[in-house]
Amino acid sequence: MDDTFERSLTLSFYPILTRNEFSHEMIRGMVVGGTTGCITQCVTFPAEFVKTKMQLDGKMEAPRYKGNWDCVKQVIRKNGVSGLYKGLPIAISGKLAAVSCRFGAAEYLKSKTVDDTGVLTNQQKVICGFGAGIAEAVFSVTPFETIKVKYIQAQGLEKPLKPCGIIQETKNILKKEGAHGIYQGVTATVMKLGVDQMIKFVIMDLLKDFYKNRNNTKEVPLPILAMTGMTAASVAVIMSTPLDVVKTRMQSIRGSEFKNFCHCVRTIWNEEKLNGFYKGTLPRLSRGCIDLAMTQVLYGMLSEQYNRLSNRCQ
């Protein structure tokens, strides 16, 4: 990009973004986080697609997949490789909103709780991670996840519904089920993301601190950032997958059959036992590790570029 144009573009938007109540850290988190989320979503969406199909394979749909790879083969046989990307525009829109909200909330909470030394206590890390997860769940993830799950399930029916844009999908849900249809599974989503982000936030920071050995000026190289992301994602996936399964079931086309979160949990346990709570674990694990490793690396790289541009504007 031409240097003069780059500077002009940044000077035009930077004052608008950073005025009044928005801190520099919060805006950086939203912009860089949103961009990072879109990139990682494009790379990892096939695994997300398979995970959703596997989690719906049970009560919501008649069992028809022998395993994850069987699901992949059936989808490709029926719709080609592009079949693994059905619902990607919805997922990207949701990811943009979710990651922007997550990083924005995390940076905002960190700026409000950090002391003069710039170091967060473990308790503060837990609060920031859990708070960011709740904000992400309520303001962005639940609506977009509900639309995505219903869309993927509808495209797998014997007579698939005609694909349409995210606005039309939202209108269809609101027309049939009202606002409740958009916010199905909100309790499970809040719990899942709260636990998920809390674990990731704490483990990544602990691993970074361990590497720095109490030297806050020490830079963490990109390979180490990737490793911290993969480690944190692995633990988070194991701990939060049961909640993710409940969320997916409640957000499905037949999710209204469940009276509430507890009723859904009891139903899955009665019909499928513990195995039902861990459907789609492998694709979710692979997606989570790749996603968070890429996020850690890209977020660090893009943050440097953002800081460089913002410093030139001052």
Side-chain angles (χ1 to χ4, degrees):
M1 181 183 289
D2 181 76
D3 186 66
T4 304
F5 176 73
E6 183 186 69
R7 180 174 175 79
S8 174
L9 185 66
T10 307
L11 284 170
S12 298
F13 287 98
Y14 185 77
I16 297 174
L17 291 174
T18 56
R19 67 173 59 161
N20 299 328
E21 69 273 18
F22 296 109
S23 68
H24 171 77
E25 291 78 11
M26 183 177 179
I27 296 301
R28 182 190 64 186
M30 293 175 67
V31 173
V32 177
T35 304
T36 301
C38 286
I39 296 172
T40 57
Q41 187 68 282
C42 291
V43 174
T44 63
F45 185 76
E48 172 69 15
F49 181 90
V50 173
K51 179 219 74 170
T52 302
K53 296 289 287 184
M54 292 301 298
Q55 290 181 345
L56 289 169
D57 196 43
K59 175 177 168 55
M60 295 292 97
E61 294 182 353
R64 49 182 176 174
Y65 304 122
K66 298 176 182 178
N68 298 301
W69 287 113
D70 182 54
C71 176
V72 172
K73 288 188 289 186
Q74 287 195 42
V75 171
I76 293 177
R77 189 182 303 123
K78 183 177 180 181
N79 299 306
V81 176
S82 63
L84 296 172
Y85 286 89
K86 286 185 179 292
L88 178 60
I90 296 174
I92 289 179
S93 300
K95 189 70 171 182
L96 177 61
V99 179
S100 295
C101 184
R102 179 199 311 166
F103 281 107
E107 294 289 357
Y108 178 76
L109 291 171
K110 284 168 66 177
S111 69
K112 293 297 182 181
T113 56
V114 72
D115 57 24
D116 295 334
T117 64
V119 178
L120 292 173
T121 65
N122 289 335
Q123 184 179 8
Q124 289 173 326
K125 291 174 183 177
V126 170
I127 293 173
C128 290
F130 195 74
I134 290 176
E136 180 184 359
V138 173
F139 295 112
S140 57
V141 174
T142 300
F144 281 100
E145 280 289 298
T146 300
I147 296 168
K148 183 203 72 177
V149 170
K150 291 180 186 293
Y151 179 87
I152 290 177
Q153 187 177 17
Q155 297 309 306
L157 299 175
E158 292 186 7
K159 294 182 179 180
L161 300 180
K162 184 179 180 181
C164 56
I166 187 170
I167 295 178
Q168 188 58 48
E169 287 286 342
T170 304
K171 288 181 178 178
N172 291 340
I173 295 173
L174 289 173
K175 184 177 179 180
K176 295 178 181 178
E177 306 173 57
H180 173 71
I182 294 292
Y183 269 87
Q184 281 181 305
V186 64
T187 301
T189 303
V190 168
M191 293 176 66
K192 186 208 84 168
L193 279 175
V195 171
D196 203 54
Q197 297 309 324
M198 177 182 67
I199 293 172
K200 291 176 181 177
F201 195 80
V202 172
I203 290 179
M204 286 189 295
D205 268 28
L206 287 175
L207 291 175
K208 289 177 188 176
D209 290 344
F210 178 78
Y211 178 82
K212 291 180 179 180
N213 194 25
R214 298 183 180 179
N215 180 8
N216 290 327
T217 61
K218 186 177 182 180
E219 292 291 330
V220 181
L222 295 182
I224 299 298
L225 283 175
M227 289 177 64
T228 63
M230 294 179 68
T231 303
S234 299
V235 178
V237 165
I238 299 301
M239 298 295 291
S240 64
T241 290
L243 291 169
D244 191 57
V245 172
V246 175
K247 174 198 72 69
T248 299
R249 295 289 179 91
M250 294 189 73
Q251 290 174 337
S252 66
I253 293 174
R254 297 175 58 189
S256 58
E257 293 182 2
F258 301 114
K259 299 176 182 178
N260 49 46
F261 172 83
C262 293
H263 180 228
C264 183
V265 171
R266 287 197 303 270
T267 302
I268 296 174
W269 176 259
N270 291 335
E271 298 185 355
E272 304 170 63
K273 302 303 179 187
L274 186 62
N275 182 59
F277 289 103
Y278 278 92
K279 285 193 171 182
T281 299
L282 182 59
R284 186 167 185 255
L285 182 62
S286 60
R287 178 189 178 278
C289 289
I290 295 172
D291 182 282
L292 200 52
M294 287 184 63
T295 296
Q296 284 290 89
V297 174
L298 288 173
Y299 189 77
M301 294 172 61
L302 294 175
S303 289
E304 290 181 5
Q305 295 301 314
Y306 180 92
N307 290 334
R308 180 177 65 83
L309 291 174
S310 62
N311 288 334
R312 292 171 58 186
C313 297
Q314 297 175 353

